[in-house]
Amino acid sequence: MKKDFLLLTVALPLLIASPSYAVESEIEQRNTNKSTEVISDIPSLSEIELPATNAELLSQQSVPIEVNPEETQPETEQTPSDDADISIEAIAEPDNLPQSTPTYVIDREEIKKQGAASLADILKRMPGFAINDAGHGADIHTGTYYRGASINQSVFLINGRQINTNVNIYHGGTDLNSIPVEAIERVELYSGTASALFGSSAFGGVVNIITKEGYGKPKFSASAEFGSLSLNNQQATYGGSSDKVKYNFSFERFFTDNRYRVPVGAANRDEQGFLSNADTATSTYFGSIGVDLNQKNSLNLDVTALSSRRGLIYFGFPLQRDRLDHDGLNIGLSWKTRLGNGESSNLTTSIGYNQDYFSTYGPTGSFYRTGALDTQQLTARVDHEWKITANNKLRWGLDLKNTDLTGDVLSTNPSNIAKNETEDRSLFNTALFAVNTWNISDNFLIDLGLRQTFDSQFGNYLNPSVGLRYAVTPLIAVRGSWAGAQRNPGLDQLYVYDTVHGWEPNPDLRPETGSTWSAGIDVNFSQNLIGQFTYFGSSIGDRLGVIAGKWANIGLVDTNGLEAALQLKIATGWSTFLNYTYTDSQIKTGTEKGLQLGLIPYSVLQTGVGYENSGWQANLYVTYNSGARRSIFANSNDKPTDFAPSFVNLDLSGRIPLTSNLGLTVYLENLLDEQYERVNRIYSPGFTFRLGLNANF
């Protein structure tokens, strides 16, 4: 299998001999077609940096990737050096996306202002997301949902390469609390027809993490933070460019003991009344090197490595003492070339290697248990963008993925000894994808997508998608999308016994199948106020879950919801945003028929106001969570209809410039000091703080 995969990888660049798709923005197309009259001035979704997702949100910056105002160097990190004689888009970035569904973007400046310590921190303020527990000290089992879909039902990418590794027990192998924030340039979120480009399993969304590249003269930046719960965090980045070579290297180290008092009845409460076994230590490394070979070709290599050690908090009782080690490695090599005259056809070929190693171990009473999941993936992708005519754009290509999973199970408990085993399983997956965009007129476009998948475990299946966008007036646009999806069970769910939860595998599991849809309107109320409103829904049959301690297809879940995102510029230096998401994920079959799916709150509201001037920053964030239905009922008086109470959280962040290159950062979290229940009797620590220094040279 691996030999065939490598042969296909070598042959990939030879398979494509014609130009390829470049779904450029609607307005960009009009600019290139001088004879076409511009009827609608409303920006396309890919051009609007939407509410609560960009640097303009809580600052006066007009360019999302502009540097801090206090940085006075003549060459900024975002400006190519004078030595560069070409300008090729960053490797593996999805330059052009279907415009029939929103594209949300949050860049590194906004990430810094929010004080995000993990990818989960970043995503929790984006529209549609409900993340019950975030931060490096959070439990890895916490619920993360986008429009009612779990993290396993979404696709996560680094520079356009998928990093989900077919492991489901530990949230799809994507630990959102252990992504190196220092290496992130921006995070993009999209859904709908775009799912045809990146995976049939995207019932939820597609999250693309774009990493930093080096530009201009070499620069070094560093920060150090200390705070509550013995928190300490050090970050460093060095990057720049020389002639045709760009480079960036980042390092991040984080530790917190995460030990604080919790109320009676809290999960993992020790004899002294403290949250136990919740410490976290992570080290992350990132490096990228890009080479512009000539005016039409460029290469990029990026490597991300993770080492994470933490206690494992489970929702139930009694006291959990298990530990979780997670080591990850992601390597990607991409080649981007402009075909023909380089204006209407671009080809990107990428090869990737991804490994996730999870190991759990610890005592259970007088017995001991260990469990390890080692997933290794080889991936290859050809992505071809072709502007066929001024009104017709095609993006198509090929995905290859080979997955090897080794699962080791060992328990000294006599009742579980029979389940001790080592499983070695492999899976090969091939997919052909295409999305075609037609501009029927200057203000009306249609996206049509297809993804044909060939899977060695679950056979062949086709997932279509369709989307449209119509600018009713220069200030109002309506849009809609529909996409079919299929998510296959993970190899661990099929074959590996879970020693932590005591869940048994089930080789007879069926894939989850169904569809997602959305309908929305974008409104430019004024020059300073933009709003987007979306109705979304999904229907997922044969949804995977656990029944009587064994993985099973639990039945049908229907989701309907509303999403609102508003961005307002109050005055120079001032801005504000508001995001609201209502999600009704109703179980339609089984013993819990009619109930809300566990861990998904009905309502989540995020709003913020900020001010920035001459390097000074102040940002106030407010979160409202209506509370989620519990998924674990460990006490005798628990009922399946029990919800965690609603809560309001208030955070304040700020920056004080000390010199042109040095600043003091302050993050005050949970100003109301409310020890609310995050999820399933895991409680927040109340008020916490972080103080730090950051420097740029």
Side-chain angles (χ1 to χ4, degrees):
M1 185 70 72
K2 288 185 177 178
K3 181 179 178 182
D4 295 339
F5 178 86
L6 293 174
L7 290 174
L8 284 168
T9 300
V10 173
L12 281 177
L14 303 178
L15 296 177
I16 306 296
S18 60
S20 67
Y21 147 63
V23 181
E24 299 164 15
S25 68
E26 187 176 352
I27 290 179
E28 187 175 348
Q29 176 181 319
R30 296 175 194 163
N31 291 336
T32 58
N33 186 4
K34 301 297 183 181
S35 62
T36 303
E37 180 183 359
V38 177
I39 297 178
S40 171
D41 293 328
I42 187 168
S44 67
L45 295 174
S46 61
E47 294 171 338
I48 298 177
E49 302 292 345
L50 296 175
T53 60
N54 63 59
E56 293 184 84
L57 171 63
L58 295 180
S59 76
Q60 59 187 2
Q61 293 168 288
S62 59
V63 181
I65 57 174
E66 189 177 345
V67 296
N68 289 335
E70 68 272 18
E71 294 183 0
T72 58
Q73 292 90 334
E75 285 187 85
T76 67
E77 184 178 336
Q78 289 73 37
T79 304
S81 68
D82 295 336
D83 296 332
D85 58 359
I86 60 176
S87 177
I88 291 183
E89 296 90 343
I91 295 296
E93 290 185 20
D95 304 321
N96 301 288
L97 293 165
Q99 300 170 32
S100 50
T101 51
T103 299
Y104 299 103
V105 179
I106 182 168
D107 71 24
R108 64 183 182 86
E109 289 303 318
E110 181 61 27
I111 292 171
K112 286 182 179 179
K113 287 189 294 184
Q114 292 182 2
S118 67
L119 180 60
D121 279 332
I122 298 171
L123 295 178
K124 72 180 182 181
R125 289 195 173 102
M126 299 187 82
F129 265 98
I131 299 182
N132 298 314
D133 200 2
H136 278 281
D139 174 32
I140 195 172
H141 289 80
T142 53
T144 297
Y145 296 89
Y146 177 67
R147 294 181 175 177
S150 71
I151 190 173
N152 288 318
Q153 295 165 329
S154 296
V155 174
F156 285 80
L157 314 169
I158 288 184
N159 297 326
R161 300 188 316 275
Q162 187 170 343
I163 58 174
N164 300 66
T165 54
N166 204 248
V167 173
N168 288 264
I169 293 175
Y170 301 113
H171 284 188
T174 308
D175 181 1
L176 300 187
N177 298 313
S178 300
I179 299 294
V181 173
E182 181 60 27
I184 297 176
E185 177 64 30
R186 68 181 184 276
V187 176
E188 302 173 338
L189 170 64
Y190 27 88
S191 58
T193 313
S195 63
L197 298 173
F198 298 108
S200 62
S201 61
F203 283 103
V206 178
V207 177
N208 193 11
I209 306 160
I210 305 297
T211 57
K212 293 180 180 178
E213 291 185 322
Y215 290 104
K217 294 180 180 179
K219 290 185 179 180
F220 176 79
S221 62
S223 65
E225 277 186 354
F226 301 90
S228 304
L229 311 179
S230 302
L231 180 146
N232 66 81
N233 184 17
Q234 298 86 43
Q235 304 180 30
T237 294
Y238 179 77
S241 64
S242 175
D243 194 15
K244 298 180 183 297
V245 179
K246 298 175 290 186
Y247 52 90
N248 188 81
F249 305 98
S250 300
F251 167 75
E252 181 176 357
R253 177 185 177 276
F254 184 96
F255 173 79
T256 178
D257 66 13
N258 210 36
R259 182 169 170 79
Y260 53 88
R261 289 194 175 276
V262 291
V264 175
N268 245 52
R269 183 179 187 267
D270 65 15
E271 295 81 0
Q272 289 78 39
F274 287 86
L275 180 65
S276 176
N277 198 45
D279 57 290
T280 296
T282 61
S283 295
T284 53
Y285 306 83
F286 169 79
S288 70
I289 299 176
V291 181
D292 294 332
L293 302 176
N294 53 44
Q295 291 187 351
K296 290 189 175 182
N297 293 274
S298 60
L299 286 172
N300 192 81
L301 172 69
D302 63 78
V303 180
T304 305
L306 159 73
S307 177
S308 173
R309 304 291 181 265
R310 69 175 71 213
L312 193 58
I313 308 173
Y314 188 48
F315 298 150
F317 304 89
L319 198 65
Q320 184 75 246
R321 292 184 172 88
D322 287 281
R323 306 292 296 176
L324 172 64
D325 295 348
H326 177 199
D327 295 302
L329 177 64
N330 184 275
I331 304 173
L333 177 65
S334 298
W335 166 39
K336 188 167 187 175
T337 183
R338 299 175 186 241
L339 303 177
N341 59 15
E343 296 180 357
S344 61
S345 181
N346 297 297
L347 176 66
T348 301
T349 303
S350 59
I351 301 173
Y353 171 79
N354 196 72
Q355 180 182 23
D356 271 302
Y357 176 79
F358 292 96
S359 175
T360 58
Y361 52 92
T364 56
S366 58
F367 304 109
Y368 192 83
R369 62 186 173 193
T370 63
L373 295 173
D374 187 3
T375 307
Q376 300 185 59
Q377 278 187 347
L378 288 172
T379 62
R381 179 181 175 93
V382 172
D383 194 336
H384 193 200
E385 302 178 355
W386 183 14
K387 187 175 181 180
I388 303 173
T389 69
N391 297 317
N392 188 9
K393 293 165 285 187
L394 174 67
R395 183 170 179 177
W396 66 290
L398 171 68
D399 276 328
L400 300 173
K401 180 169 62 176
N402 187 84
T403 305
D404 292 309
L405 173 69
T406 300
D408 287 311
V409 175
L410 174 65
S411 176
T412 61
N413 189 326
S415 62
N416 289 331
I417 288 178
K419 300 172 184 176
N420 293 343
E421 63 173 348
T422 297
E423 289 280 354
D424 289 303
R425 299 286 177 169
S426 295
L427 183 69
F428 187 70
N429 185 284
T430 305
L432 298 170
F433 61 85
V435 173
N436 205 339
T437 298
W438 284 276
N439 288 82
I440 307 301
S441 66
D442 288 332
N443 55 354
F444 181 50
L445 65 83
I446 295 178
D447 298 313
L448 294 177
L450 289 174
R451 189 175 183 91
Q452 175 68 54
T453 304
F454 307 90
D455 190 275
S456 63
Q457 181 90 30
F458 294 99
N460 308 332
Y461 47 93
L462 178 68
N463 298 115
S465 61
V466 61
L468 59 86
R469 185 175 187 274
Y470 177 64
V472 181
T473 73
L475 300 178
I476 300 175
V478 295
R479 50 182 162 74
S481 68
W482 176 91
Q486 173 170 322
R487 187 180 79 87
N488 300 327
L491 291 173
D492 55 328
Q493 292 171 308
L494 291 166
Y495 303 113
V496 182
Y497 175 66
D498 177 9
T499 61
V500 174
H501 305 88
W503 296 341
E504 295 187 15
N506 183 354
D508 297 322
L509 292 174
R510 299 181 300 276
E512 297 176 336
T513 57
S515 60
T516 65
W517 56 87
S518 70
I521 182 171
D522 306 329
V523 183
N524 286 353
F525 293 102
S526 68
Q527 184 177 359
N528 297 323
L529 179 60
I530 298 174
Q532 291 192 279
F533 308 91
T534 304
Y535 162 75
F536 61 85
S538 65
S539 182
I540 304 176
D542 283 329
R543 186 171 179 124
L544 295 170
V546 177
I547 299 178
K550 186 175 183 178
W551 284 104
N553 294 100
I554 64 175
L556 177 67
V557 175
D558 284 348
T559 297
N560 291 276
L562 296 172
E563 183 181 286
L566 294 170
Q567 176 184 350
L568 172 65
K569 286 240 177 183
I570 304 172
T572 302
W574 289 89
S575 57
T576 187
F577 76 93
L578 186 147
N579 295 331
Y580 173 75
T581 304
Y582 174 82
T583 307
D584 181 7
S585 290
Q586 190 172 126
I587 301 171
K588 293 294 185 179
T589 57
T591 58
E592 295 183 340
K593 180 179 179 180
L595 297 179
Q596 175 84 337
L597 200 64
L599 307 183
I600 300 178
Y602 280 111
S603 294
V604 175
L605 182 145
Q606 293 274 359
T607 186
V609 60
Y611 177 75
E612 180 175 1
N613 185 24
S614 301
W616 293 78
Q617 292 179 3
N619 306 281
L620 184 66
Y621 299 97
V622 180
T623 301
Y624 167 75
N625 187 306
S626 66
R629 189 173 74 90
R630 297 189 179 112
S631 63
I632 300 294
F633 309 99
N635 295 330
S636 58
N637 58 345
D638 285 350
K639 299 185 293 296
T641 55
D642 287 349
F643 271 69
S646 62
F647 63 85
V648 174
N649 185 65
L650 193 63
D651 297 333
L652 177 66
S653 68
R655 185 183 189 278
I656 302 171
L658 303 178
T659 69
S660 60
N661 296 320
L662 184 66
L664 174 68
T665 57
V666 180
Y667 302 104
L668 306 178
E669 298 164 325
N670 198 349
L671 290 173
L672 301 178
D673 195 26
E674 179 184 356
Q675 198 166 27
Y676 52 82
E677 182 180 349
R678 286 169 166 168
V679 59
N680 270 21
R681 296 188 175 85
I682 295 178
Y683 290 81
S684 74
F687 172 76
T688 59
F689 71 90
R690 289 183 284 145
L691 297 176
L693 289 173
N694 59 53
N696 299 278
F697 304 99

